[in-house]
Amino acid sequence: MRTPAALAAIAAIAAAVPDAIVGAGTVRSDADARAADAAGARFAVSPGWSPRVAAACRTLGLALLPGVATASEVMQAADDGFRFLKFFPAAAAGGTAMLKAWSSPFADVAFCPTGGIDATTAPDYLALANVAVVGGSWLTPADAIAAGDWPRIERLARDAAALARSR
């Protein structure tokens, strides 16, 4: 939802590939959630914790991966029934050390760290028991997109998929 093309892209992908599980990122308001749902998104990802976004997604039946950066936010999201959370911005908010510290008090919560992660640091995150997956923009570098270098992006995606298989 960070670009004017987001909703059109979600709608185009959802229409062209009906079996795809299309999501919307950077959902920051209940209006964003409604727009993403109307465009065909099947899940939403928020950069932070918002009870209003959570309520809107719940009403819409739109799965939500809410973002957290502090223990208080983890507690608030967990109080609202969320046990799978985006840890953002992971590297700036404490990285693997923070996730290790959270592993005991939040043993019932799993995380998807994003923000500041790349192909060299992803394995460190994936090695943690409370990390289910990682996300990172290293998969789609701006210069590769601008150049239409789809083979490079495909290679990066295959390399990332191999990280998950090696766990």
Side-chain angles (χ1 to χ4, degrees):
M1 303 294 281
R2 286 187 271 172
T3 73
L7 292 172
I10 291 166
I13 295 168
V17 190
D19 292 336
I21 301 171
V22 182
T26 317
V27 172
R28 296 178 39 206
S29 67
D30 51 348
D32 284 349
R34 287 191 305 274
D37 181 66
R42 293 182 41 199
F43 70 94
V45 181
S46 65
W49 170 247
S50 166
R52 286 183 62 158
V53 170
C57 288
R58 188 172 283 119
T59 297
L60 293 164
L62 187 64
L64 174 64
L65 177 63
V68 296
T70 68
S72 295
E73 291 169 336
V74 173
M75 290 174 64
Q76 290 169 359
D79 283 350
D80 203 14
F82 292 90
R83 294 291 188 274
F84 182 47
L85 306 172
K86 173 181 174 178
F87 176 41
F88 175 80
T96 57
M98 180 69 87
L99 288 164
K100 286 176 187 175
W102 283 350
S103 67
S104 180
F106 303 121
D108 60 336
V109 178
F111 296 92
C112 170
T114 70
I117 299 171
D118 60 30
T120 61
T121 59
D124 298 331
Y125 285 91
L126 290 168
L128 301 176
N130 59 349
V131 171
V133 296
V134 299
S137 56
W138 86 87
L139 293 167
T140 53
D143 63 327
I145 293 171
D149 189 352
W150 312 126
R152 177 177 169 205
I153 292 172
E154 181 179 353
R155 179 183 50 77
L156 291 168
R158 288 185 193 283
D159 291 349
L163 291 175
R165 285 192 298 272
S166 68
R167 283 183 77 179

